[in-house]
Amino acid sequence: MTVHFSPEGHVRWLDSDEFSSEFLKLLAAAQEGGAMVSECFLVASRIDPHDRADSWHREWLRIADRNAERASAALDRGHRLTARSNWLRAINYYQASTFVLDSADARQQEAIEAMRSCARRFIEHSTPAGEVVEIPWLQDHSLEGYFLPASTASGRTPVVVCMGDPGHRKEEYLFKMSRYARERGMALLAVDLLGSRADAEFDQIAGRRDLESSVSHVMDYLTTRGDVDAGRIALVGDGAGSSFVARGVAFDNRFAAVACDGGLWDMHEQAFLMNRLSQDGATIRGTAGDWIAGNSMEGGGPGLTFHCPVLVTVGGQGWLKGDVVTDLFERLRGRHRDISLKIFESPETAAAQGHHDNPTLANEFIFDWIADRLDPVPA
């Protein structure tokens, strides 16, 4: 294996940007408990560049199985902390093994089922124990979530909801974000759009035009729980495709705070489309500045307004460049004053797309910001 380190500190290998990015995410997950650096490099050394896809899946699956086996053995000996640590790593490795597989591949479904089994065992043996919850959404499709109570739960507590873009699976939030919520006295609800089935048809869900409706259904569920302070519910939208989270929060005034892209990606896409249409001589109604985190691109629309504080975090080396982000953000701030922007630049890391090079730094900033806004609200 040949490994190259870029001036920005990124690891590049196998002459593939996609594989390099995925490997970087796995390395960065080590500081969150989702991997071990030595295991990552061991697996990488075993991947055959002439059989990249199959060997990638095989080797990450092998290390995932090994961690799952260690977890079971530790639990049998009464060592729950060690078991939980190994389950977290197994979750991430199982997910990594599916990176090269088509959704119809039976191997992907087997790996996802193994990942889900580790996740369920992790929350079952957490202290206090978590639970798997079902949240009604569509007529034939419910959301599934993992609810982890606050570590010092007493009465009704604040909650942070973690939702990613349509392709994100909630299991990764168990190692990526759960400790940041629980260490700050907040419960966590990790939820995705894929439901409880490992064979959920991704295209059918991701292609829907009403993804934002899921956000209010999550809030509806939380308000029924006797251990949740309905006045202190925040939401973290993770990933570039999570603008639906911003739209959902704009439609629902019950959230106390939200950290998401604020609809920036939707705004960028609409501005690009409008520019293309104007070049083609098409007649356009409305402007990009009139449409803020809206739910439809038809006719421009009056735009939507957030009812709670909003935090937007962006990696300076991400898909949207700093000047573009700043311009879009200023348009947002013209309509909603209680909105903050944090751009992580290369000298401090967390500058990659999705902060994949250093999620710890970004999460510390995000969860401190959320805690500042939830604590002053009376329980």
Side-chain angles (χ1 to χ4, degrees):
M1 178 188 64
T2 301
V3 177
H4 302 281
F5 294 90
S6 71
E8 294 81 15
H10 296 174
V11 178
R12 303 184 62 82
W13 67 300
L14 292 181
D15 301 320
S16 168
D17 288 340
E18 288 185 329
F19 280 81
S20 297
S21 176
E22 192 67 16
F23 187 63
L24 175 64
K25 288 168 57 178
L26 284 155
L27 284 178
Q31 61 204 40
E32 305 286 8
M36 287 196 293
V37 172
S38 57
E39 287 185 331
C40 289
F41 278 104
L42 175 64
V43 171
S45 70
R46 293 174 172 173
I47 293 175
D48 183 355
H50 303 294
D51 184 23
R52 186 177 300 174
D54 283 344
S55 62
W56 175 282
H57 169 71
R58 180 180 62 251
E59 297 304 331
W60 287 112
L61 184 67
R62 179 193 297 183
I63 202 70
D65 287 341
R66 184 169 299 167
N67 277 267
E69 291 165 1
R70 279 201 301 259
S72 296
L75 185 66
D76 289 342
R77 295 191 298 270
H79 301 305
R80 290 204 303 171
L81 290 177
T82 299
R84 290 170 58 203
S85 296
N86 279 273
W87 281 321
L88 284 183
R89 294 194 294 270
I91 288 170
N92 196 24
Y93 295 151
Y94 279 126
Q95 178 169 269
S97 76
T98 68
F99 169 67
V100 294
L101 302 179
D102 183 84
S103 59
D105 194 318
R107 294 176 298 173
Q108 185 191 76
Q109 308 309 323
E110 292 172 359
I112 291 174
E113 285 293 357
M115 175 188 70
R116 287 167 51 80
S117 175
C118 289
R120 287 169 177 259
R121 300 196 75 185
F122 172 82
I123 64 173
E124 176 187 354
H125 294 283
S126 295
T127 305
E131 59 182 299
V132 181
V133 301
E134 184 175 296
I135 303 172
W137 179 28
L138 307 174
Q139 182 176 1
D140 57 348
H141 183 82
S142 295
L143 304 173
E144 184 182 74
Y146 299 139
F147 185 86
L148 293 171
S151 56
T152 55
S154 177
R156 295 179 181 270
T157 63
V159 179
V160 177
V161 180
C162 294
M163 296 184 73
D165 59 37
H168 268 72
R169 292 193 175 274
K170 60 187 174 296
E171 284 76 15
E172 72 178 66
Y173 298 128
L174 295 179
F175 63 82
K176 187 177 180 181
M177 295 183 177
S178 65
R179 73 178 179 92
Y180 295 100
R182 304 186 90 179
E183 288 172 353
R184 289 162 176 78
M186 300 180 287
L188 179 131
L189 174 63
V191 62
D192 58 30
L193 300 179
L194 299 174
S196 60
R197 295 181 302 155
D199 62 345
E201 293 293 335
F202 171 77
D203 292 340
Q204 293 181 12
I205 300 300
R208 295 186 63 90
R209 298 184 55 151
D210 61 346
L211 295 180
E212 63 272 9
S213 66
S214 62
V215 175
S216 285
H217 283 76
V218 171
M219 173 61 83
D220 290 341
Y221 164 76
L222 286 174
T223 58
T224 68
R225 294 186 63 102
D227 55 354
V228 168
D229 183 348
R232 293 193 292 171
I233 299 176
L235 193 153
V236 175
D238 186 40
S242 63
S243 278
F244 78 90
V245 170
R247 298 195 300 270
V249 172
F251 279 122
D252 195 315
N253 64 4
R254 293 175 291 177
F255 287 93
V258 60
C260 63
D261 79 338
L264 292 185
W265 189 254
D266 277 359
M267 292 174 65
H268 175 70
E269 286 190 323
Q270 194 202 34
F272 174 79
L273 177 60
M274 293 176 70
N275 182 58
R276 290 291 299 271
L277 290 174
S278 72
Q279 290 176 356
D280 293 338
T283 300
I284 303 173
R285 297 167 56 196
T287 66
D290 292 330
W291 182 82
I292 306 297
N295 68 330
S296 173
M297 290 171 54
E298 299 175 358
L304 297 174
T305 302
F306 295 109
H307 305 280
C308 66
V310 179
L311 171 66
V312 179
T313 68
V314 179
Q317 301 300 318
W319 298 338
L320 293 181
K321 300 307 178 185
D323 56 342
V324 174
V325 170
T326 301
D327 177 65
L328 294 172
F329 176 76
E330 289 301 326
R331 299 183 195 181
L332 275 173
R333 192 162 63 172
R335 185 178 292 270
H336 183 72
R337 301 304 299 179
D338 196 357
I339 183 168
S340 305
L341 172 66
K342 169 62 176 177
I343 300 179
F344 290 88
E345 300 291 359
S346 296
E348 62 177 334
T349 69
Q353 177 65 32
H355 314 298
H356 291 155
D357 56 326
N358 192 349
T360 302
L361 190 65
N363 286 334
E364 287 174 347
F365 188 94
I366 289 169
F367 279 84
D368 282 349
W369 181 88
I370 288 174
D372 288 342
R373 279 142 189 85
L374 295 191
D375 284 348
V377 180

